[in-house]
Amino acid sequence: MAQFRVIDTKIYAPDGNEFIVKGTNMFAWEGTDSANSIVIDWGFNAIRVPNFLLGSYDQPHPEVDEYRTNQQIVQRFTQGYSHQKTVVIFDAHDRVGRYYQGEEFETLKQYWREMAILFKDNPYVWFNLHNEPGKKNANPQQWIAYHRELIDIIRAEGANNIIVIDGEAWGQDFYSQTILNHGFELIDENENILFSIHVYDQWNQNDIGIYFDQLHERNIPIMVGEYGAVNNTHSTLAASQQMMTAAQQREIGRMVWVFSANDRNDLTIKDEGHGHYFDGANVNDLTPLGQLVWNDLQRIEDLESLDSSLTILILPALAIWAIVLFGIRIWPKSKE
C-alpha cells in the first residue's frame, strides 16, 4: 500500500506529490458533524483530533466506546470528498506541559498500541504522540526516551504511518529548542518522523523563520500543529501572522487552533465564533484569525512530485557512475 513519506524536510502523499498540511484542530466529541464545513466550505486538507485518555473535559478514554468515535471520524474524513482525502492526526492531549507517568504512561502506551493496530492500513491517519510535553526548561533525555518508546510500540505493530512529535516548552519549543538540538536522535533510527511546534506567545517577539531555517539546515522536518489568536491572556495574532509568511515561503505545514472555538480563538464573528458559520462566501463574517486562515487556503502552492525530486538527485549520480564504469566523456576533448 502506498504511504505518505517524509523525505528530508518534505512530505509526499501516496500519489507521489508533495503534501503541505493546511489544517484545523477539531475535538473528537464533534464527531463528523462539521465534516462538510471543514472539507468543502473551507477546503482544509487535514484535521488534528485531540483524544483525552484520563477523563479530561468529560471525555473518556477512547477504549470506553471501543474506539468507535475515532473510527467514524477516520472513515468520514479519509474516504474522500470530490476525490480529496483528508489527513486525520490524532494526539494524546491530557498532560499539557508535563509527561504521562506511572500508570498514566501505561495507559498512553496501550492507547498507541491500539491505535496502531486499528489504523496501520490507512496512511491518511497520523499519530501525534503527546500534545505539548514539558515546561520551559529542556529535558531532552526524558523527551527522547519517552518518544522513542512510543515509536517502538507503534512500529512493532507494523504501522508505518507518519508519527508527529511535539517540541517541549508547551509545544512551542522556543525556550527549550529540543527539536533543533535533539530531533535528529529520533530521526536517525526511524522513518516517517515529523516534528511539530505550536506558535503562541513565545514567538510574538521572536523570528520563527530563523528557527525554521535552522531546522531545515539540519534536515529536520517540521510542521506547525497549532497557531491562533489568543493563548491564555496573551494575544498571539502577531506570532501567527509572521509564522504564516515564514511557513509559506518554506513550504511548512500549519494547523489552526481551533475549528469550534472555546477559548477566544474564533474563526468567525457569528455567535460562538465556530468555523461552521462560514460557507466559503461570507468572508465579512471572518475574524482576523479566520481571514488569515482563509487567505492561506486560497494560496496555490508550487508543489513538486517525488519523481521529479528524485530525478534531480539521481541523474548527477548516474552521470558520475557512467564516467567511472564506462569512461564516458561528458566534456569536450582538449585540443592538442
Side-chain angles (χ1 to χ4, degrees), residues 95-99 130-135 143 146-147 166-171:
R95 291 294 176 245
V96 176
R98 292 182 282 168
Y99 288 88
H130 177 176
N131 176 69
E132 301 185 358
K135 292 183 171 59
W143 183 81
Y146 183 87
H147 287 102
D166 284 8
E168 287 190 300
W170 298 276

Side-chain angles (χ1 to χ4, degrees), residues 37-88:
S37 181
I38 288 171
V39 179
I40 298 175
D41 294 339
W42 282 85
F44 290 111
N45 64 12
I47 59 170
R48 180 172 177 261
V49 183
N51 275 178
F52 295 90
L53 313 185
L54 306 176
S56 308
Y57 293 94
D58 296 323
Q59 188 202 46
H61 190 301
E63 71 181 5
V64 173
D65 75 347
E66 298 178 338
Y67 291 86
R68 281 193 295 270
T69 298
N70 284 0
Q71 292 181 76
Q72 289 166 0
I73 290 170
V74 167
Q75 182 178 9
R76 184 71 182 275
F77 280 91
T78 69
Q79 68 183 356
Y81 289 84
S82 302
H83 307 292
Q84 175 186 312
K85 296 182 178 181
T86 304
V87 167
V88 178

Side-chain angles (χ1 to χ4, degrees), residues 40 60 71 73 95 108 119 136 257 280 283 291 295 307:
I40 298 175
Q71 292 181 76
I73 290 170
R95 291 294 176 245
L108 180 65
F119 299 119
K136 183 175 180 178
W257 182 271
V283 293
Q291 190 68 62
N295 290 343
D307 290 341

